[in-house]
Amino acid sequence: MLTMWIKALRVIPRVSKEEWDRLDVISRWLIASRAAVFIMTATAGAVGGLLAWRLGEFSWAVFLPALAGIVLAHATNNMLNDLVDYKKGIDHNNYYRAQYGPHPLEHGLLSRNQFLGYIVVTGLLALACGAWVTWLTGWETLWLIGAGLFFLLFYTWPLKYIGLGELSVVFVWGPLMVGGTSFVVTGGHWDAAIMIVALVYSFGPTTVLLGKHTDKLEMDREKGVRTLPVVIGEKASPYLTQGLWIVQYAMVLLLVFTREFTPALLIVFLTIPHFLKMCKVFLVPRPLQPPAGYDPQAWPLYLVAYAFGFTRKFGLLFLLGVICDAILVRVF
């Protein structure tokens, strides 16, 4: 049981119906909600909490439910995404989503009512966390919950279908998750430096989504899902992804050179060799088959897999930089 929990938090396990039926409910939930990507959300919340601690205004009582709330909201959105796309017929006929991991509905792992139950329970838990944080911090927190509900409910449709999904991720993983966590934990502090930190982080998850949508660009075009890569084209999308990574480095330099943050943030530049490898991957056309040396079990994940690996490394080093910076500010 614990082994599967850990595995589901690291990758999206491929399981048969027989294997699924032997799993406990937590393992099923972790797989159905695609928990392997929660690290991006948990890191966003951790950065927001550290920004609050850096200012000397930290409360575990507020931070922990805020962190749990954004992770549960992410889980709810992932499952709602699957439900909406399935009902609209997008995930049928071996569509991309049904290839890279178990699709609870398309693969017959859960009935529609069972899957809806997962969504409702997870969503109610997320709302309960938000309500508790609001009780502790005041009614001004409600606008954050309202914004979160908007993107949770409308990301899959219509935002993703009209090229606004990627912009939504910039806002959600940046100002909403990083900035919002910092805002509620500090009791209302908000400034430009925090917003820059939030944007630095949010561009990471955005590049992961760009990689995913570029991987399935042709499938989306055929099904009328106009993601941003479909709108701007297969040639432009990898350049946009690389451009966002460059902007991340530039914004870190801005934070340090303006002395808003200490040079501790420069630790993210240890990812430069990895970034250069990513450029080599993204500057050539996406292969039609798994290239030599590429794990065939990971296919059709390709650009998204590389983007996720880089974002995870950059995000964790960025988190480490914020930790070191906060310690330096608090101690010295």
Side-chain angles (χ1 to χ4, degrees):
M1 182 171 66
L2 182 60
T3 301
M4 179 55 76
W5 293 2
I6 295 172
K7 184 177 182 180
L9 287 168
R10 292 181 55 252
V11 298
I12 300 177
R14 297 174 186 262
V15 295
S16 66
K17 181 66 167 64
E18 292 72 23
E19 290 170 321
W20 174 271
D21 289 340
R22 293 194 297 268
L23 295 175
D24 62 282
V25 67
I26 300 299
S27 296
R28 293 181 183 182
W29 179 83
L30 290 170
I31 294 171
S33 61
R34 288 176 269 159
V37 296
F38 291 172
I39 186 173
M40 295 188 295
T41 298
T43 304
V47 170
L50 281 165
L51 292 175
W53 184 76
R54 184 179 187 269
L55 293 168
E57 301 178 31
F58 185 84
S59 168
W60 284 106
V62 177
F63 172 69
L64 290 178
L67 179 63
I70 61 176
V71 171
L72 288 167
H74 186 183
T76 305
N77 178 260
N78 280 352
M79 292 187 288
L80 190 61
N81 193 3
D82 281 348
L83 177 64
V84 172
D85 281 349
Y86 177 80
K87 290 179 68 175
K88 291 176 72 67
I90 299 298
D91 289 340
H92 299 345
N93 301 321
N94 203 31
Y95 178 70
Y96 182 88
R97 168 66 184 94
Q99 293 181 41
Y100 70 75
H103 191 302
L105 296 174
E106 182 68 13
H107 295 151
L109 304 178
L110 292 170
S111 69
R112 189 176 300 189
N113 285 340
Q114 288 174 323
F115 193 50
L116 188 60
Y118 276 46
I119 295 172
V120 170
V121 171
T122 308
L124 287 175
L125 288 173
L127 277 176
C129 291
W132 180 246
V133 171
T134 301
W135 174 262
L136 293 174
T137 60
W139 296 108
E140 61 271 15
T141 301
L142 282 178
W143 76 267
L144 291 168
I145 297 174
L149 276 172
F150 173 81
F151 287 106
L152 188 154
L153 294 172
F154 298 112
Y155 164 77
T156 302
W157 189 88
L159 297 176
K160 183 178 74 173
Y161 282 65
I162 57 175
L164 294 178
E166 291 78 7
L167 185 60
S168 299
V169 169
V170 171
F171 182 80
V172 170
W173 265 264
L176 200 55
M177 287 189 181
V178 176
T181 302
S182 177
F183 180 84
V184 297
V185 176
T186 59
H189 182 84
W190 198 287
D191 61 35
I194 288 176
M195 286 302 96
I196 293 175
V197 170
L199 289 174
V200 169
Y201 185 79
S202 71
F203 287 155
T206 304
T207 62
V208 174
L209 187 63
L210 279 168
K212 178 181 177 181
H213 287 171
T214 305
D215 277 340
K216 63 191 186 85
L217 187 151
E218 290 301 327
M219 288 184 176
D220 280 340
R221 179 182 287 136
E222 291 172 4
K223 299 220 175 189
V225 183
R226 293 182 58 78
T227 62
L228 187 57
V230 171
V231 173
I232 66 176
E234 189 172 6
K235 290 184 178 180
S237 296
Y239 287 105
L240 175 59
T241 304
Q242 294 168 80
L244 289 179
W245 287 331
I246 293 170
V247 171
Q248 283 184 297
Y249 289 119
M251 294 179 97
V252 167
L253 288 175
L254 176 65
L255 288 168
V256 173
F257 288 163
T258 57
R259 298 187 178 182
E260 292 287 350
F261 284 77
T262 68
L265 290 192
L266 297 179
I267 194 172
V268 298
F269 280 81
L270 290 176
T271 62
I272 287 292
H274 196 168
F275 165 72
L276 295 176
K277 291 180 182 178
M278 293 303 96
C279 288
K280 292 180 180 179
V281 171
F282 278 75
L283 285 175
V284 297
R286 181 184 184 276
L288 299 178
Q289 300 292 333
Y294 190 80
D295 182 6
Q297 291 296 312
W299 192 263
L301 301 177
Y302 185 68
L303 295 179
V304 62
Y306 282 109
F308 180 72
F310 177 76
T311 292
R312 180 169 54 187
K313 181 177 289 187
F314 185 99
L316 290 175
L317 280 177
F318 188 60
L319 176 63
L320 178 59
V322 175
I323 291 172
C324 294
D325 169 85
I327 293 172
L328 289 171
V329 170
R330 290 293 301 275
V331 174
F332 299 103

